[in-house]
Amino acid sequence: MNFLTRHKSYPWMVVAMLWFVGLLNYLDRQMLSTMRPFMEGDIADLVSATNFGRLMAIFLWIYAFMSPFAGMIADRLNRKWLIVGSLFVWSGVTFLMSYAQNFDQLYMLRAVMGVSEAFYIPAALSLIADYHQGKTRAFAIGVHSSGICLGQALGGFGAPLAAVSSWQFTFYACGMVGILYSLLLIALLREKKTYAAEASARHSVLASAGFALKGLAVLFSNVSFWVILYYFSAPAIPTWATKNWLPTLFSETLQMDMSRAGPLATVSFSAASLVGVLIGGFCSDRWVQRNLKGRIYLSAIALGCMMPSLFAIGYGDGLFWVLGGALAIGLSLGVLDAGNMPILCQFVPSRYRATAYGLLNMTGMVAGALITSELGKAMDAGYTNTVFAVMAAIVLPVIILQLTVLRPKTINMTDELMGR
C-alpha cells in the first residue's frame, strides 16, 4: 500500500477516511439524545430528566478524564492503531446498547463509550495536522469536522428510525457499520510522524512516562497554552448544553413531538456547524497568511456571535428565536472547531500536540458534563432561561483574554522555535 502514501492526494485521502470515522463518532454518541421517548417504555428510569442528564453526563466525565492520557499515548504510539481500536470499541459498545435492559447497563456502556471515544480526536486531529502543514491545515480540519457535523445531524434521525423499527435496531445497525469500517481502515490508513521518537522512550515504560511528564511541563510553562485551555473550555459549556438538550428544548418550547423535534434540532444545529467549519477553515487559512493573529481574530468573532444566541434560546418562546439561536450557535461552533487545532499549532510543536489537545478535550468535557447535569436539574425545576443567561456571560472574558494575551510568532510552531 506504499504507492498510496506516496501519491500527492493521500493527505486528502486521510481526511476522507477520517471524515467517516468522525461522522460515526458523533452519530453514535448523539443519537441517544433523541431516542429517550422510545426507550422509556422499556427502561423506566429514563422518564426522569435528572436521570437522563446523568446518563448523558457520564460519557462526558469519562471522556474528559481519559482525554489527557489518550493524547499522551497518541504522541508516543502509532495513531493509526489508536484510531482503528477506538472506532472498533465504541462501535461494539453501540452494538451492545441494543441489548441493554435497564438503566445501569446503559450507564455502564456509556462510560465505556467515553473511554473508547476519548482516544479518537487527539490522534485524528494531530495526524491530519501532520499531513497538512502548509496552507490547507485549517480547511483540512474543517472538512474532517464537517463529518462530525453530519454525524450529529444524523443522530437526530435516531428518533424517526426508532419509531419505524425499534430503538434496539437503531443501536444494532449503527454499531455494526462502525465495526466493519474499522476493518477497512486497517488496510488503508497510514501513520505519519513529523518528528523522530527517541528509541529509549519507544521501548521503556519509564522513558515514555518521562516524556509525558516533560510534555506536560512544556505545555503548562507556556502562558499561551493556559489561555487556549480557558478559551477552549468556556465555549464548550454552551455548545455541549445545546448539543445534548436542544431536541428536548425544541420539543417542550415548541410543543413538538420528539420524532419531529429531534431531527429539526440536530439537523439545523449541525447544518449550521457544517457551514461554519468549511467557511471557518477557508477563511482561517487565508487570514493567517496576511496576519499571524488572523485565526485568533476569526475565533473571537465566532465567540462574540455566540453570546446573544444563548439569550435567544433561553428566553425565546417561538420558532424564530429558538431556531435562530440554534443556527447561530452551530455556525459559531463550526468556525471554532476549524480553528482550534491550527491555533494550537501556532503555540505547540508537533510532538506535544496530541497531549495538548487531550488536555483541551478534558477541560471542555468537564465543562460540558457539569452543564449537562445542571440543565437536567434546571428543566425539572423550571429555571432553564437563567442557566442560558449565565452561559452567555461566561463567554465575554474569553474573548478579552484571547485578543490580549495570544501573540503568535509563527503559523507552525517547531521544537527549535519553542527553544527545545
Side-chain angles (χ1 to χ4, degrees):
M1 300 299 293
N2 288 336
F3 71 94
L4 276 179
T5 59
R6 289 195 298 266
H7 199 279
K8 63 180 181 180
S9 65
Y10 188 72
W12 286 108
M13 289 180 63
V14 171
V15 175
M17 286 185 282
L18 297 183
W19 179 90
F20 191 63
V21 184
L23 182 152
L24 293 174
N25 185 280
Y26 264 70
L27 170 64
D28 289 351
R29 75 168 73 170
Q30 281 299 124
M31 62 183 178
L32 179 63
S33 67
T34 68
M35 292 170 63
R36 175 186 168 199
F38 303 95
M39 301 173 70
E40 290 174 352
D42 296 308
I43 303 175
D45 288 336
L46 293 179
V47 173
S48 165
T50 299
N51 278 340
F52 189 69
R54 286 176 54 222
L55 185 62
M56 299 298 287
I58 187 59
F59 169 86
L60 299 175
W61 282 115
I62 299 295
Y63 189 112
F65 288 109
M66 284 301 303
S67 288
F69 300 104
M72 293 175 200
I73 292 171
D75 278 331
R76 304 308 304 150
L77 302 183
N78 189 305
R79 290 169 292 189
K80 165 189 171 174
W81 292 108
L82 290 177
I83 291 168
V84 170
S86 177
L87 171 60
F88 183 86
V89 173
W90 91 59
S91 298
V93 167
T94 304
F95 177 86
L96 290 174
M97 288 181 77
S98 65
Y99 294 96
Q101 297 179 345
N102 55 57
F103 181 84
D104 290 340
Q105 291 175 356
L106 279 176
Y107 195 79
M108 180 183 68
L109 287 170
R110 286 289 289 184
V112 176
M113 180 178 280
V115 174
S116 58
E117 289 206 6
F119 281 88
Y120 175 65
I121 290 293
L125 294 189
S126 64
L127 183 61
I128 292 172
D130 283 346
Y131 269 108
H132 292 266
Q133 300 181 53
K135 299 178 180 180
T136 60
R137 176 171 282 162
F139 188 66
I141 290 174
V143 171
H144 172 264
S145 297
S146 71
I148 291 175
C149 297
L150 183 58
Q152 182 175 312
L154 292 177
F157 287 91
L161 182 58
V164 299
S165 57
S166 68
W167 64 268
Q168 292 94 338
F169 173 80
T170 305
F171 284 125
Y172 178 95
C174 293
M176 186 57 67
V177 169
I179 290 171
L180 294 176
Y181 190 67
S182 68
L183 302 179
L184 180 63
L185 286 184
I186 293 175
L188 298 178
L189 187 62
R190 291 292 180 269
E191 171 66 281
K192 180 183 179 179
K193 292 284 190 186
T194 58
Y195 59 91
E198 294 83 351
S200 60
R202 288 199 304 266
H203 301 293
S204 166
V205 174
L206 290 176
S208 295
F211 177 88
L213 291 174
K214 179 182 177 182
L216 292 175
V218 169
L219 293 171
F220 286 121
S221 63
N222 185 346
V223 174
S224 295
F225 178 72
W226 281 101
V227 174
I228 294 172
L229 200 63
Y230 179 42
Y231 143 72
F232 188 92
S233 59
I237 296 175
T239 55
W240 274 109
T242 307
K243 284 179 184 179
N244 285 340
W245 284 106
L246 193 59
T248 301
L249 289 170
F250 267 47
S251 179
E252 295 188 357
T253 302
L254 305 178
Q255 302 298 308
M256 189 180 297
D257 182 80
M258 183 59 82
S259 62
R260 293 176 56 214
L264 177 62
T266 57
V267 169
S268 60
F269 186 84
S270 301
S273 296
L274 175 60
V275 173
V277 294
L278 295 177
I279 293 177
F282 178 83
C283 294
S284 178
D285 283 333
R286 296 302 179 275
W287 202 341
V288 79
Q289 300 298 321
R290 299 193 300 271
N291 188 320
L292 287 178
K293 290 191 71 171
R295 300 195 197 279
I296 296 168
Y297 290 142
L298 187 62
S299 293
I301 292 171
L303 286 171
C305 293
M306 190 176 285
M307 295 173 64
S309 307
L310 289 166
F311 281 100
I313 293 178
Y315 290 91
D317 59 358
L319 181 64
F320 174 80
W321 292 107
V322 179
L323 181 59
L327 290 172
I329 292 178
L331 183 67
S332 301
L333 175 62
V335 174
L336 293 171
D337 281 346
N340 286 335
M341 176 58 91
I343 289 175
L344 190 67
C345 291
Q346 292 187 269
F347 297 93
V348 177
S350 178
R351 69 177 56 238
Y352 303 125
R353 283 174 192 161
T355 300
Y357 206 89
L359 290 166
L360 297 185
N361 255 351
M362 181 186 73
T363 57
M365 288 294 179
V366 167
L370 289 171
I371 195 61
T372 296
S373 296
E374 183 59 34
L375 260 182
K377 299 174 185 176
M379 293 185 73
D380 282 339
Y383 59 92
T384 307
N385 54 357
T386 303
V387 176
F388 274 90
V390 171
M391 287 191 286
I394 290 173
V395 173
L396 181 59
V398 180
I399 300 174
I400 297 171
L401 274 176
Q402 186 185 22
L403 292 175
T404 56
V405 177
L406 294 183
R407 302 176 185 275
K409 299 179 181 179
T410 178
I411 293 177
N412 187 58
M413 178 61 70
T414 63
D415 292 327
E416 292 74 20
L417 289 171
M418 184 170 247
R420 174 175 177 259

